[in-house]
Amino acid sequence: MSVANEVQAWHATSLPAYSPTPKRKRREHALKNKNPNSYQKTISLQLYSKFSSLSIIFLRNSMMQTKIEAGELLKTINYPEDLRKLPEEKLLQISEELRQYIIDIVSVYGGHFGASLGVTELTVALHYVFNTPYDELVWDVGHQAYGHKILTGRREVFHTNRLYKGISGFPKRKESKYDSFGVGHSSTSISAALGMAIASRLKGIQDKHHIAVIGDGAMTAGMAFEAMNHAGVDKANLLIILNDNCMSIDPNVGALKEYLTDLTTSKWYNKFRDDLWDLLGKMGKIPQKIASKIEDGLKSSILKPGMLFEALGLRYFGPIDGHNIHTLVHTLRDLKNIPGPKLLHVVTVKGKGFAPAEKEQTKWHAQSSPFDKITGQSFAKKTDKPQPPKYQDVFGHTLVELAKANNKIVGITPAMPSGCSMNIMMKEIPERAFDVGICEQHAVTLSAGLATQGMIPFCNIYSSFMQRAYDQVIHDVAIQELPVIFCLDRAGVVGADGPTHHGCYDIAYFRCIPNMIIASPMNEQELRNLMYTATLNEKNAFVIRYPRGEGVMIDWKTPFEKIQIGKGRTIQEGEEIAVLTIGHIGNYVTTIQPELQENNIYIGHYDMRFVKPIDEELMHHICQKYDKIITIEDGSLMGGFGSAVLEFIADNRYKNTVKRLGIPDKVIEHGTQLELHKEMGFAPEQILETIKTMKLVEIIS
Ligand SMILES: Cc1ncc(C[n+]2csc(CCOP(=O)(O)OP(=O)(O)O)c2C)c(N)n1
């Protein structure tokens, strides 16, 4: 059967059976299925990671031949106004069709997955009960907003989700008036919705609702608590919906998670409440009202659910079943009439309705390659040929190697154990590896504290999430000259996640801070050696930035060698033009060398390895030998590596002509890494063109 026919066949099949987890067992189910050490290999969608990605793109292209149709009822819903015209009985069907449509599209085009499936009923209920977009609905992180996008005018373009020039994978203000706040990073929703609520009050608007939907993972961040601390005294009209599925990307961690689990697994209380409710429901509304009062009394006198939130000045409601559309609709309607700040605790299952995703929730947080929408089996072709590893895995394995040899080494990750491969150390040396929740600021200062005691902390934070902890790096690490090692994963453009996640700015924002070493490896061996070198350094913060995706070496487990700090590497001496690169992007230059030589162009190529301190000796050599210099970086041009080169040239009164290639001063949207590099003018062909043009200018002049 051809791929297109196979796709047609899948699309003809009906909704996969929901796993019948009984209400009371749902939370235990979620808890049972979490595996803090699960080490999964997903297939990267990087174009320049050669084989695997090309096969995914080929496969996806053939699958795209078939148009994916939404269900009969969902097809009639273009905007929430259409939804609100339906009788409540139809909401279950809409939820099922919405869930199926998300499964159908993501199984071909990839994207975030489990989180949207988990909030399908909640999404329908919110748009049904509230008057969006007049009422402001703010999704936290936004990876769970696929249902929201489909119901708010983007059903027909949803298949372009996360693709180059397609719609964004996250809510985005420019994209739709229903996306009241742009997101991507977590834990901003309560502050943003509170700001909207205060603005309404100041403008004298009384009939507007402001709703923040935040997950239990995002709730672990300090910022969420800063916002609740304010909301509790401000008394603005704010509804916080806590979507509690026990999961972050990996299983959620920390005392707050334990507290929420206690709230939702008070079995005897929940059973008592449900039985009483059902019994009284049969007798009519008045007995149920009495039951509510009894329940309130019970809550406050014995269990004190939500005490934490109540203490912060928020009225706490719940926990309620987030997959019961009618419970959701009725509860939200009731809450509409309760003014002031309040929190509704909704319990959901991440991946709901797609059995493999319910079972392996971390793996199904997101999918980049097409998969069978019934079994979940990946369609990505496996190759027998050995492939270079992902940089994140080189980090993870190397850290364990170093930590086994040196018991002062500790690992810290803010909620990204499988994303950055810290889960390898969490499995092998659990007592020295910490997932601290979505708390980048805490991760940095915790590392600083560890360093004061002679420990050697490897604090791994994605480049874009590190933006959260800027002051901590300056105040708690750099000024105090503490030797914290920062490994910045996902440095450079990251691809489909887009502007909120691109790691564009780290070189620029760290370069101006004293006492910082900033390095970037061009390959796996350099990453290992930089990590090793960093453990020998006792004074400065040591930043090692590397990109998303695979490196270039098959045999990468080479013996450790100390690299002299501030020393670059000459890949090739040349005659005419010097190309200076920092990090993995240098491999683009290596790939075009044969073509350059065929054209009798002999460039010098230098892998500078350190942005700070820059290799001054090598820089003097380059500036004296070559008239023309090209710098290439997968980072912002403004204040970046090329700027460092220009500063050196100016400070030393050289007169070289410099062309800088890198990320320009504008927001870079989503697409594959290669598409974006092309757009910005530093994909291999364009580097080739730039060099040829420079050469031509030399000949003419
Ligand atoms: C500041 C920041 N750090 C890390 C992330 C990466 N991240 C994306 S989703 C997610 C988990 C969110 O968990 P939760 O809020 O419970 O939502 P769920 O996926 O479980 O629905 C994390 C850690 C992020 N988006 N922002």
Side-chain angles (χ1 to χ4, degrees), residues 159-285:
H159 64 282
T160 69
N161 187 36
R162 291 164 57 93
L163 300 179
Y164 190 53
K165 307 282 183 200
I167 63 168
S168 163
F170 298 98
K172 193 168 181 170
R173 281 170 60 79
K174 267 190 200 159
E175 196 177 283
S176 165
K177 61 184 176 181
Y178 290 87
D179 295 357
S180 55
F181 201 67
V183 266
H185 287 200
S186 87
S187 319
T188 58
S189 62
I190 306 178
S191 299
L194 179 61
M196 293 168 190
I198 292 174
S200 292
R201 190 184 63 221
L202 295 175
K203 289 195 227 165
I205 300 169
Q206 283 170 2
D207 60 344
K208 199 175 173 84
H209 297 278
H210 316 87
I211 308 132
V213 183
I214 179 165
D216 57 307
M219 195 58 113
T220 59
M223 199 177 163
F225 279 83
E226 291 167 32
M228 286 192 287
N229 186 43
H230 181 190
V233 290
D234 183 88
K235 301 295 174 203
N237 187 23
L238 172 72
L239 170 61
I240 301 166
I241 297 184
L242 171 59
N243 171 38
D244 180 9
N245 56 20
C246 283
M247 291 295 291
S248 191
I249 294 178
D250 295 84
N252 201 8
V253 290
L256 179 69
K257 185 213 77 177
E258 305 294 334
Y259 172 73
L260 294 176
T261 303
D262 280 353
L263 276 186
T264 51
T265 53
S266 303
K267 283 189 196 149
W268 69 265
Y269 165 72
N270 284 334
K271 179 155 180 22
F272 167 82
R273 187 186 68 167
D274 286 357
D275 289 351
L276 186 70
W277 196 256
D278 290 347
L279 181 75
L280 296 176
K282 286 177 195 145
M283 294 161 68
K285 285 233 155 167

Side-chain angles (χ1 to χ4, degrees), residues 621-634:
H621 165 74
I622 293 165
C623 291
Q624 286 161 16
K625 180 169 181 188
Y626 304 88
D627 281 347
K628 299 188 171 156
I629 293 174
I630 299 173
T631 64
I632 311 177
E633 64 199 296
D634 195 0

Side-chain angles (χ1 to χ4, degrees), residues 115 141 143 184-186 215-218 243 245 247-249 350 365 415-416 438 440 465 468 501:
V141 185
H143 64 311
H185 287 200
S186 87
D216 57 307
N243 171 38
N245 56 20
M247 291 295 291
S248 191
I249 294 178
K350 198 160 175 174
H365 177 79
M416 303 305 282
I438 311 184
E440 287 79 9
F465 301 148
R468 281 273 161 101
H501 284 59

Side-chain angles (χ1 to χ4, degrees), residues 568-586:
R569 180 168 68 110
T570 301
I571 295 181
Q572 180 181 294
E573 287 290 350
E575 294 167 1
E576 327 195 3
I577 297 164
V579 179
L580 279 55
T581 59
I582 185 79
H584 177 83
I585 206 79

